[in-house]
Amino acid sequence: MNKAQLVEAIQDQLGGRQQAADAVDVVLDAIVRSVVQGERVSVTGFGSFEKVDRPARYARNPQTGERVRVKKTSVPRFRAGAGFKDLVSGAKKLPKNDVAVKKAPKGSLSGGTSTKKAATKKAAAKKTTAAKKATTAKKAAAKKTTAAKKTTAKKTAAAKKATAKKAPAKKSAAKKTATAKKATPAKKTATAKKATAKKAPAKKSTAKKAP
């Protein structure tokens, strides 16, 4: 069955061929657009349409047998529902005067817009929480950097103070050594003069005893 035959099959239920063609086009367009956007279209009793990502891989050309690299791509996938599978396998019989696909329960079709709004609200909430986490992480990093800068500044100030305190001690030690050097020559010269003064009278006495 092609699209034209599908339209002919449902035109009696929809009141004309044009109405049936428009209905088929609208349904198929809605399914395709939703799957392209990454949404999953699920019809109870029939199946679900979804987008599947295939990673890059190697395949073989069936004609030449040559190994070919296939790029990463996305493909649509249809998974038949349990009711559809049971009808195809023969576990259940097709109803004669009723639709094969299970009808949706009353009130279930009126919540389509609300579910979309809820999904958009959830996505917005996720974005806001992610933004808040990012801002808190940035603030914490800024606090850590400022604290590290303060500690380094304190350490450098303490080191400068310690070096400033040690400098006068070196100067005082230099002064002590200078005074010590000055004091020792002066003491040596004074003792030398005293020794010579004591030895001089002894020479005079020996000169008198000679006649």
Side-chain angles (χ1 to χ4, degrees):
M1 177 183 284
N2 56 22
K3 185 178 178 181
Q5 292 171 345
L6 178 62
V7 170
E8 289 177 0
I10 64 174
Q11 65 181 357
D12 294 336
Q13 288 84 1
L14 296 178
R17 184 178 179 83
Q18 188 61 41
Q19 288 83 355
D22 293 339
V24 171
D25 290 336
V26 169
V27 170
L28 296 179
D29 182 69
I31 292 172
V32 170
R33 288 181 183 276
S34 299
V35 173
V36 169
Q37 292 176 0
E39 298 179 3
R40 186 169 181 267
V41 180
S42 180
V43 180
T44 305
F46 177 66
S48 61
F49 300 88
E50 60 184 345
K51 181 181 178 180
V52 179
D53 295 329
R54 285 184 179 177
R57 68 189 192 282
Y58 286 97
R60 291 192 180 276
N61 189 342
Q63 294 179 353
T64 61
E66 184 182 358
R67 193 180 183 192
V68 181
R69 181 173 175 80
V70 181
K71 295 181 179 180
K72 180 182 178 181
T73 184
S74 299
V75 295
R77 178 184 291 175
F78 172 73
R79 291 183 177 179
F84 194 6
K85 288 180 180 179
D86 292 339
L87 292 173
V88 172
S89 64
K92 289 183 180 180
K93 292 183 179 181
L94 281 170
K96 292 181 179 180
N97 298 324
D98 197 3
V99 293
V101 179
K102 182 186 282 188
K103 292 182 180 180
K106 292 182 179 179
S108 62
L109 299 178
S110 61
T113 56
S114 62
T115 53
K116 286 183 180 179
K117 288 181 180 179
T120 52
K121 285 182 180 179
K122 286 182 180 179
K126 287 181 179 179
K127 287 182 180 179
T128 51
T129 51
K132 287 180 180 179
K133 287 180 180 179
T135 51
T136 52
K138 287 181 180 179
K139 287 180 180 179
K143 287 181 180 179
K144 286 182 180 179
T145 52
T146 51
K149 287 180 180 179
K150 287 181 180 179
T151 52
T152 52
K154 287 181 179 179
K155 287 180 180 179
T156 51
K160 286 180 181 179
K161 287 181 180 179
T163 52
K165 287 181 180 179
K166 288 178 181 179
K170 289 181 180 179
K171 289 181 181 179
S172 61
K175 286 181 180 179
K176 287 181 181 179
T177 53
T179 51
K181 287 179 181 179
K182 288 179 181 179
T184 52
K187 287 181 181 180
K188 287 180 180 179
T189 53
T191 53
K193 285 180 181 179
K194 286 181 181 180
T196 52
K198 287 181 181 180
K199 289 178 180 178
K203 289 180 181 179
K204 288 179 180 179
S205 61
T206 54
K208 288 179 180 179
K209 288 178 182 181

